[in-house]
Amino acid sequence: MSKQILILPGDGIGPEIVAEAVKVLVCLRDDFGLALDIYEALLGGSAYDEHGHPLPEETLRLAHDCDAVLLGAVGGPKWEPLDISVRPEKGLLGLRSELGLFANLRPAILFPQLADASTLKPEVVSGLDILIVRELTGGIYFGRPRGVETLDSGERRGINTLVYTESEIERICRVAFDLAGKRSKRVCSVDKANVLECTELWREVATRVGTDYPDIELSHMYVDNAAMQLVRAPKQFDVVVTTNMFGDILSDCAAQLTGSIGMLPSASLNAEEKGMYEPIHGSAPDIAGRGVANPLAAILSVAMMLRYTLGEPVQADRVERAVAAALDQRLRTADIAAKGTETVGTARMGDAVVAALREIGD
Ligand code: NAD
């Protein structure tokens, strides 16, 4: 039976990079016989412009009906003046929440060809392979009360609430332990248990879940130390599990270790392993419309989709090998350009990956 894929290009560079990822999906469908039906819908600012809401009902219905969603990115200065309830990011958070996508997998892998593109010394980052498992539907991004209120004095006060239930912590920790079992069997749980009661509970639950996984080594680290350790000695980490906000911040930091945020894909999974796949970067308004954005994070998101939702690990490997082959040809988008390489635009990079995919064959 065909798998149903929903494409949400989004805003800014979203449509540019997603177009290249779609080329890869179409190549897998037309040249290699993968049974895929591909649909497209609006999300974010483009959806607001068309329908007055960043998450239109039609998009939500398609997302529920499809097996997997591929998203570019949403947001941009054009929509910043809007009320927060209809800002593009609200559409994305709403979609994650509606689909129950609580587990966000963010690998930070350094392609050997890009060791020079990192701002860290090659010996610190070469061979880097970290998996950050970020809780995605709870924590301070969703907690209530929230908002900005005016006190009797006339002064305004902003409020957000960090909240996690034991079951929310337990299920994300289980995802991390299960994944660590297929890797080097180490989980580091990141919290701020010394000052935040909510993450004291996080540490307690992580420890309890850990007793069900005797072959996995569990360590705990405060988030401030984790940020420092990530740039000091990143290879000490294997699987990192953490809250929504800490994971958001640490994964951008980990991204830079790999040379560019334009290289990193992500998967957001629900309990049935239905997934939304997206680059970890945003809509990059500073370079949007110029055809220079790096499409590799979006293409690597397709590889994650093949691996985690479509049950096609061999095809996933092939896509990743095709990306490596394009880098071997010394082709680089501007964000990863280095001496002795050829700087190419978004479409040329996508075409090179598709050509490599065809060359690799079955
Ligand atoms: P950003 O990730 O869009 O950009 C940060 C920097 O990285 C910019 O200099 C940008 O040019 C560069 N960059 C990002 N992706 C790149 C790529 N593929 N190739 C080359 N360079 C790339 O983050 P930001 O500037 O903080 O946010 C811009 C907008 O994106 C905001 O509206 C923000 O809310 C939104 N955003 C959306 C998502 C999402 O949709 N998941 C995530 C983060 C930010």
Side-chain angles (χ1 to χ4, degrees), residues 13 73-76 89 92 96 261-262 278 280-287 293-294 335:
I13 61 167
V74 297
E89 292 76 6
L92 178 56
R96 287 174 178 164
I261 199 167
E278 53 179 312
I280 78 157
H281 60 72
S283 59
D286 53 334
I287 56 167
N294 186 345
D335 56 312

Side-chain angles (χ1 to χ4, degrees), residues 57 80 113 162 174 176 262 266 281 286 289 322 325 360-362:
E57 273 187 17
E80 271 164 22
Q113 299 89 334
L162 175 61
R174 288 201 182 278
S266 76
H281 60 72
D286 53 334
I360 291 168
D362 277 324

Side-chain angles (χ1 to χ4, degrees), residues 124-139:
V124 175
V125 290
S126 67
L128 184 79
D129 182 358
I130 300 175
L131 180 61
I132 296 184
V133 179
R134 165 189 171 198
E135 200 292 325
L136 201 59
T137 51

